[in-house]
């Protein structure tokens, strides 16, 4: 049984770290697991990435004047018929990606970064749904 339907040839000169990822049933080569995962599943059902206790990286957040993280402890977070949210939210502020996050998530390091307010209790926030 083959992972893919055809023979696969890898030229490691194309991949400087000598690491590639593949998807079952597909002969395409990806430079990272994240690239392969995105190719297979889009953004993996998550648009923003929570990378440490106070930082979210959001590829769609560049030049956005207002960025909010909506949450609910009792129901799904959803827009009403006018496309507006009535759930609670915290306002996120632009920040920079620190070196530790860049090293841990190099495939996300170019995304715009946002910081949670200092007074937010993250554990409490995550007890429900966030959008």
């Amino acid at each position: 049984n083959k992972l893919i339907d055809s023979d696969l040839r890898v030229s490691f000169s194309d991949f400087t770290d000598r690491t590639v990822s593949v998807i079952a049933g597909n002969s395409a080569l990806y430079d990272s697991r994240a690239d392969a995962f995105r190719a297979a599943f889009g953004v993996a059902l998550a648009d923003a990435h929570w990378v440490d206790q106070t930082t979210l990286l959001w590829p769609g957040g560049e030049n956005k004047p207002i960025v909010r993280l909506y949450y609910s402890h009792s129901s799904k977070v959803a827009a009403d018929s006018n496309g507006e949210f009535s759930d609670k939210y915290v306002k996120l502020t632009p920040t920079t990606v620190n070196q530790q996050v860049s090293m841990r998530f190099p495939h996300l390091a170019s995304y715009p970064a946002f910081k949670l307010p200092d007074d937010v209790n993250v554990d409490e926030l995550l007890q429900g749904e966030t959008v």
Side-chain angles (χ1 to χ4, degrees):
N1 291 341
K2 291 185 177 184
L3 176 64
I4 56 174
D5 295 332
S6 61
D7 290 335
L8 181 66
R9 174 176 272 177
V10 177
S11 172
F12 284 107
S13 62
D14 296 337
F15 300 94
T16 56
D17 64 357
R18 302 183 58 81
T19 303
V20 298
S21 296
V22 297
I23 300 170
N26 184 338
S27 61
L29 299 173
Y30 299 93
D31 194 31
S32 70
R33 292 173 111 187
D35 290 344
F37 201 76
R38 263 192 304 279
F41 305 108
V43 290
L45 305 176
D47 200 20
H49 303 270
W50 207 313
V51 294
D52 65 22
Q53 187 75 6
T54 62
T55 310
L56 282 82
L57 304 180
W58 179 34
E62 191 161 3
N63 298 320
K64 300 291 186 216
I66 299 172
V67 177
R68 296 175 177 163
L69 180 66
Y70 288 88
Y71 65 95
S72 175
H73 294 169
S74 59
S75 64
K76 285 204 165 287
V77 175
D80 62 19
S81 60
N82 295 323
E84 297 174 354
F85 291 90
S86 60
D87 300 284
K88 297 179 194 173
Y89 66 87
V90 293
K91 186 176 178 186
L92 305 178
T93 56
T95 189
T96 57
V97 178
N98 66 39
Q99 185 176 3
Q100 183 179 1
V101 168
S102 292
M103 291 175 62
R104 186 168 180 205
F105 304 103
H107 57 289
L108 304 176
S110 65
Y111 290 176
F114 298 91
K115 182 181 180 304
L116 289 164
D118 292 334
D119 62 346
V120 168
N121 181 333
V122 174
D123 293 331
E124 182 181 321
L125 188 67
L126 293 175
Q127 290 177 3
E129 181 171 89
T130 58
V131 175

